[in-house]
Each structure stands twice: as structure tokens, then as C-alpha cells.
Amino acid sequence: MNGSLYRVLVVDDEPPIRSLIMRALENLHIACTPACDGDEADQLLQMAHFDAVVTDLRMPNRHGHALATDLLSRPQRPLVVVVTGILEPRLAKDLLQRGVDDIQFKPINYSLLATKLRALMDRRSSDGPLPKLSDRTRPANSTNAREQGTGHDASSTMIDREDFQSRLAHVATILPVSKVAIEVVNLTNKDEIDADKLTACLVRDASLAVEILKMANSAFYRRPHSPPIEDLRDAVVRIGFKRVGELALASSTLSTLTSSVLPWVDVSLFWRRSMAAGLVIERISSQTTLGGEDEGLFLSALVRPLGRIVLGTIYPREYETMILHCQTTRQALALQERAVFPESDCQAMADLLATWSIPEDVFLPLRYADLRFDELNSIAEPLRSKVEMLKFAAVLGELAVGRWEGWDLIDLPTIDAFRYLGHDALAQVIDEVRRDLQELESLCKLPHFKPRTNEDAVGVPGRAFAYCNLGLATNDVVPHYLDSLGWHYVPIERVQLAEEQRPVLVNCCRGISERSEEALARLAGSVPRVLIADEHTNQSLLAGAEALFMPASYAALRHCGKLLYDRSGDPSVRRLAAAVATSFY
């Protein structure tokens, strides 16, 4: 078996360790999928086949020991490698007797772990499937629901890497992306380049030249009260050589991919998100320094949403199935993609650019854009900050557009990400980008939005719930999501919690102070509440409350709002377990 076809599930509640294990495995061309605890691992194992599982022992929710025992009992089980900081000989003996294939003690030698696991998988591929625990020493009281037929085996839908790369390479050759755009990008990455050479190249593609002129005449590039720019060379000078190259390639790629007829693709939404993210990068990159340059950010921001269209083009049936699943379960589409494909949509888009011989530096941040905000510490600087800014720009761009699909993923930025705002307020940047986007819409004649459905408007006149941000970040993006739904809510401060009688939505993400924990504890027990939580949230706070764990889908957030409205009109308590089940990580 070729190593590029191996797939490993990495289960650890510490994002830095999880990311470092994955990077070491990926260096050996092993596809990896992350999970933060045993519960999430179970969900992923029901949807996809894995050759091996690397798991920590101490984790919230379902711990690694129970997960490992369950895995060892399965027919044709995966390899099981335990990673732990518990230096206890009796525990190691117990695990090995149960059939665990290897134990690694922290601090981990990640390269050694990856090499050993690769060797184990190579050996198994030649020796045949491993025996299950019942063929060794299965405890008499052990049970396994999946052996009773309650599990779901999605291995038949798993795409192997060879097929994936073959189809991606094929689509790269048939997409009618402008060769002039690719040439312009390569010209802007040479040491000797001037406006005349770039202009001479651009005039060979009339539609591309028109797009560059439109951008140069937009509010962002054109000085106030200055006359319109009609000369292409003046437009090149005004925008800047690097930006012209990135704009040329992004514009051509956008036009090519958004001409798709995929039934689930809202072309206008992809256009606006791409443009809005690029506008955010233009605005915030001028207020900060990233190792002296921001190369790769602008292009990465513009094409980031397009990887999903690429995957949908080469795997249309798989997307029909995944979209249907998301609609019925309120899961994020990214979770489905992670279980089905060996690469994320962002990585696929980066591969496509590489196939067109675009220099790696021009799109390098895109390769890491699928990581969670709190996983970025595993990346070395200055790339880490570039990826963080790229993700932050995507969030602000989506908020500026103000429109979502139910299966979109909401990943709240970390406190560090807000530093890119500089002196501007969050709402100010979103409003300014929204105005710039509206002008671009008229210049570029973007497609109209699809009409809203009744499901989009969940606000109920005369009913409202309270919203309180207890997170440590003073900037808060959650209200912008609430506003996009047309919800009626009343922002309250921490000191008002004790007197609140309405249903309450409380943001506890990214950690809260002891004083905030005390204030939340004083909230009357009869008051219905939903906590927006993440892996940093104190588990004791969840007692007596429902939780929507972030990252989560937009549909999950919308569902919580509907139930809060129901509670504001009816004091009866309803369970929000469905909202919890939509957790992404």
C-alpha cells in the first residue's frame, strides 16, 4: 500500500499537541483528521474508515481508555496508538495486554511517533487485518453498540488520495483560467518588472484588463475627488504590481469557478465573500507588519472560498449526499468534507494554484486556512500571523456580506486575532467593508443574491431574549451573527445577570474570568439559558444549562435562537440537545 493512502484519526484535547502529531504524520504523506475527545472521535469513526487512531488518555467527555477499548473490539480494527503523560507501569501493562499497538509517553518525539506508526501500517498492509480484542483477551463485561448493528460504516464514501489527486490534476488542466493571468502573477514575482511590461501582458486579455480598470476605479484604490482612471498603465501603477498579479489571477479564477452550475452553489454569495475578504485584507494589512510583508494574503483571501467549488466539481454526487446530511443534522459541511476527502477545500485550492506553476509564497497561507483559530500556535512565525490574519479577514468578510448557508462553519476568533483591527472598532471595519463591497457590486455587476427564505427570519415580534458576553475579548462577533438572523435580543452586562428573568444566551468562549463565573452562578436556576462554549469553557458552568459548542454550524446557531424564542413565549423547559450535537470539534 502506498503511504499516501493511509488515513489516521488524531484524538487529543490539547490543540498544539494534536497539530504537531498531525504535521509529523503529514510529513510522511499520511492523511490526518483531528478530534478533540472520544465523543467526536466516535462520530468520525462512524462516518469514515481510518487505518490508525492516535489517542490521548485524559480528555473531557469520553476519555481515551474507553475509546481504545472500543476500537480494539472491532472487526478489522484500526491500529491503536496511545499518547499519554501518565507514567504508570500498570497502566501501560494493561493497555498492551488489551491489544494496544504502541504507547508513547509525553514529551513526545513526534518524528519517531510518525515513523513507528508508518512502519506499523506498512507491516499491517502486508500481513492482513488485525484481530479484534475478542480474539485476544476481551473482558467479560465489555459491550460494543457497533457490533449490534447501530453504527454507520461510511468507508464506501471515503475518497482515497490517489483518486483525489488524479481528479484534481485533471480539473486543473481543463479549467479555462486565463493564461495571461498566470503569466502576470509570474511577472510580478520577478526582480525586474515595470508597469509597461505588466500592461503589455494584460492587454492580451481584454476581459482581464477591464476587471483591473474596474478595481482601480473602486473607492478603495481611487483617491477622493480624483478623475476616473481610463489608462490601463495608470491602473497598474495605482493598484501596485503585486496586487495587480493577485487580482488578475483571482478575478480569472473567480469567473471560471463561479460559472459552475452546481445546484447547491450560491454564485453571488461566493463572489461577495471573496471580494469582502480581499477588502478586509487591504484594510487591516496596512495597520500591521507581518515579517515585513503580507505576500500571499490577498490572493489567498480572494480564492479561499473557491476550493469547495473545486471539490464539488470533481465529486458532485458526494456533495449531494453531504449537503443532504447537513440539512437533516445541522452539521457543518466542513465536518463532512473532513470525513470524506484526504485534503480540505483550502488545501485543494492551494494544490490547484501549484499545478498552474504559481509560486508557493503567493498562496502559502491558504494551505493552513482550514485550521482552527486556537490551533495556529503550532505554526512558526511569520506564517502563523499570516494564517491568523487570513482567517480573521474571512470572518469579517462574511460578517460584512451578512449572509450564510446553514452548513457554514462559525469559528469565533481568538483574542489575539482582534489585534489586526488596529485603532478601528470591529463594527467600523465591517461597515466600511460593506460599503466598499456595495460599490464593487455596481462596478463588477455581481450576480444578485438568491431571495431569502422564511427560515432565514427567525425573529418573533414582541419576544426577545437577553445576550451577555462573558468572554475575555472586548470585541465580540456574536452579535453580528445574531443581527444577520433578524433576532430580537437585549444586550446585558455581567452585573445584570442576577436580576435577569428572560431566557439568556451567554457567550463563554475563549475563557471567562472568575468574577464572570460567579455572576453566571447567580443567574436564577429557573431562567432558561444557552451557553456558547468551547474547549476552554469550565465544565462546571454547563450544569443546569444547554451548550452550543464552537466551532458550530450556522444552522445550529439559528436553531438555538428559535428555541430561545419559544422559551421567551412559553416558560416550559425544552431540551437543546440537538444544538450540542452540532458541535464541529
Side-chain angles (χ1 to χ4, degrees), residues 227-241:
I229 298 173
E230 298 179 354
D231 184 78
L232 184 58
R233 186 184 185 283
D234 291 342
V236 168
V237 173
R238 173 61 55 84
I239 294 175
F241 295 166

Side-chain angles (χ1 to χ4, degrees), residues 371-390:
L371 292 177
R372 283 171 46 180
F373 273 105
D374 53 12
E375 290 178 323
L376 301 182
N377 287 331
S378 61
I379 306 175
E381 293 287 9
L383 179 59
R384 175 197 171 281
S385 291
K386 289 184 178 182
V387 178
E388 186 175 57
M389 183 186 287
L390 172 62

Side-chain angles (χ1 to χ4, degrees), residues 2 42 142-143 190 327 369 409 438 467 476 495 529 537-538:
N2 187 301
D42 273 339
S142 175
T143 60
K190 292 182 178 179
Q327 291 172 342
L409 178 68
Q438 289 172 349
Y467 172 73
D476 184 11
V495 295
R529 69 200 75 177
T537 304
N538 187 338

